[in-house]
Amino acid sequence: MLRILAQVSDFRTTLIRVNLAPGWYPDNADPRFVRWWDGTQWTSHVQPRQQQTDAHHAEMQMGGTGQDRVAQQVQRAGVQGVVQGGGGTLFTEPVLVVNQKAKLVEMSNSYVIYDQHARHIGTVEQVGQSGAAKALRAFTKLDSMLDVRLEIRDVQGHPVLRITRPATMWKSKVLVERGDGMPIGEIIQENVFGKVRFAYVCNGMKVGGIYAENFRAWNFSLRDHTETEVARITKTWQGMAKAMFSTADNYVVQFHRQVPDPLLSMIVASGVTVDTVLSQNQG
């Protein structure tokens, strides 16, 4: 019996060694990383696991955003000088510069987030689209009729917020969750005509809202439950080249003061996804 077991064990080991070619595989010790299998054993070499994204190789990006361009955006948004405070994270910086990646062909939404000094502090990636949905986006303007799922990630690539906007042909509603999937609240559209308004609703209670300051909904006042403005979102120009060949938009979010959660998370969610959840409604 011992001999048979030993033979079976050796046979299984042989199968593993034959079938598992050298390469990077998920690390059982930490799912955020992948570990190198050399064909016979696991090595000590690890690297961050590639983050999920709906980006496609056919989407032709039109360059990035330089430090000077970020400074110009902050200035155009009316930010006076350097705003004190910070901490280097999406939830501590007083100014967030949100730049959508400009693409000649767009099948997914991607954004880069900077602080007021042009330091990269986060990204936003669309996830969960089917191949048919990507094709529909590439050749039509039917974005509002598709579900939109976004991950807001920190500079290490870890999801800190998850946002879902179900498909709609009328009023939009956005579900906001923490990176681990814990529900935070909803951003609910309150009107269709006139200056658009959205309510921040957490546990059935309104804790603030988004108020467009013009009919084209370019600039927004973000308010708490007392209707006091605590932050602003200002749309900034992306430059002639990008404006002519893409629909990418750029926004600056400025906090007037520190706010607690869940309002803080709702504002960050609005700031980094306002283009997706609001501008698409304009067609």
Side-chain angles (χ1 to χ4, degrees), residues 64-125:
T65 302
Q67 187 172 7
D68 292 342
R69 180 61 58 82
V70 172
Q72 292 174 7
Q73 291 177 250
V74 173
Q75 185 178 15
R76 287 172 182 159
V79 179
Q80 302 298 323
V82 176
V83 181
Q84 298 301 315
T89 75
L90 296 169
F91 298 101
T92 58
E93 286 295 330
V95 178
L96 303 177
V97 181
V98 184
N99 287 348
Q100 185 177 8
K101 295 180 182 178
K103 306 172 184 177
L104 292 177
V105 178
E106 185 178 72
M107 300 182 193
S108 64
N109 294 346
S110 300
Y111 304 79
V112 180
I113 310 170
Y114 305 92
D115 68 6
Q116 60 186 315
H117 307 292
R119 292 177 298 211
H120 176 206
I121 60 173
T123 57
V124 184
E125 293 291 346

Side-chain angles (χ1 to χ4, degrees), residues 4 6 17 75 79 119 182 198 220 222 226 244 249 280:
I4 295 175
R17 289 176 177 173
Q75 185 178 15
V79 179
R119 292 177 298 211
M182 180 72 68
F198 284 76
F220 307 87
L222 309 184
T226 68
M244 290 179 62
D249 291 319
Q280 284 181 344

Side-chain angles (χ1 to χ4, degrees), residues 6-214:
Q7 290 175 355
V8 170
S9 177
D10 290 341
F11 178 65
R12 289 174 178 171
T13 302
T14 301
L15 283 180
I16 292 174
R17 289 176 177 173
V18 170
N19 293 332
L20 196 58
W24 295 102
Y25 296 93
D27 186 5
N28 291 332
D30 191 333
R32 297 174 301 172
F33 294 89
V34 290
R35 185 177 296 274
W36 181 259
W37 170 264
D38 65 7
T40 59
Q41 63 182 353
W42 295 108
T43 70
S44 60
H45 302 295
V46 296
Q47 66 180 17
R49 190 173 185 177
Q50 184 67 34
Q51 295 291 322
Q52 181 185 10
T53 176
D54 283 356
H56 191 274
H57 63 80
E59 298 178 287
M60 299 177 60
Q61 294 191 22
M62 301 174 58
T65 302
Q67 187 172 7
D68 292 342
R69 180 61 58 82
V70 172
Q72 292 174 7
Q73 291 177 250
V74 173
Q75 185 178 15
R76 287 172 182 159
V79 179
Q80 302 298 323
V82 176
V83 181
Q84 298 301 315
T89 75
L90 296 169
F91 298 101
T92 58
E93 286 295 330
V95 178
L96 303 177
V97 181
V98 184
N99 287 348
Q100 185 177 8
K101 295 180 182 178
K103 306 172 184 177
L104 292 177
V105 178
E106 185 178 72
M107 300 182 193
S108 64
N109 294 346
S110 300
Y111 304 79
V112 180
I113 310 170
Y114 305 92
D115 68 6
Q116 60 186 315
H117 307 292
R119 292 177 298 211
H120 176 206
I121 60 173
T123 57
V124 184
E125 293 291 346
Q126 186 166 0
V127 298
Q129 286 190 111
S130 66
K134 291 180 183 180
L136 189 65
R137 286 198 59 184
F139 300 106
T140 74
K141 296 294 183 180
L142 300 177
D143 297 42
S144 64
M145 298 178 63
L146 302 173
D147 290 349
V148 176
R149 296 180 178 86
L150 299 167
E151 285 188 356
I152 303 175
R153 300 168 179 170
D154 63 19
V155 71
Q156 287 80 32
H158 304 148
V160 294
L161 291 174
R162 301 181 191 273
I163 296 170
T164 303
R165 195 219 51 195
T168 181
M169 295 184 65
W170 196 239
K171 293 182 179 180
S172 293
K173 180 172 70 172
V174 178
L175 311 178
V176 182
E177 301 174 331
R178 303 193 190 283
D180 59 6
M182 180 72 68
I184 296 176
E186 300 174 330
I187 303 175
I188 302 175
Q189 186 174 353
E190 294 186 312
N191 65 321
V192 175
F193 302 104
K195 300 177 183 179
V196 66
R197 300 189 311 274
F198 284 76
Y200 297 138
V201 177
C202 300
N203 295 321
M205 298 180 58
K206 183 175 180 179
V207 298
I210 306 172
Y211 297 80
E213 296 188 336
N214 47 56

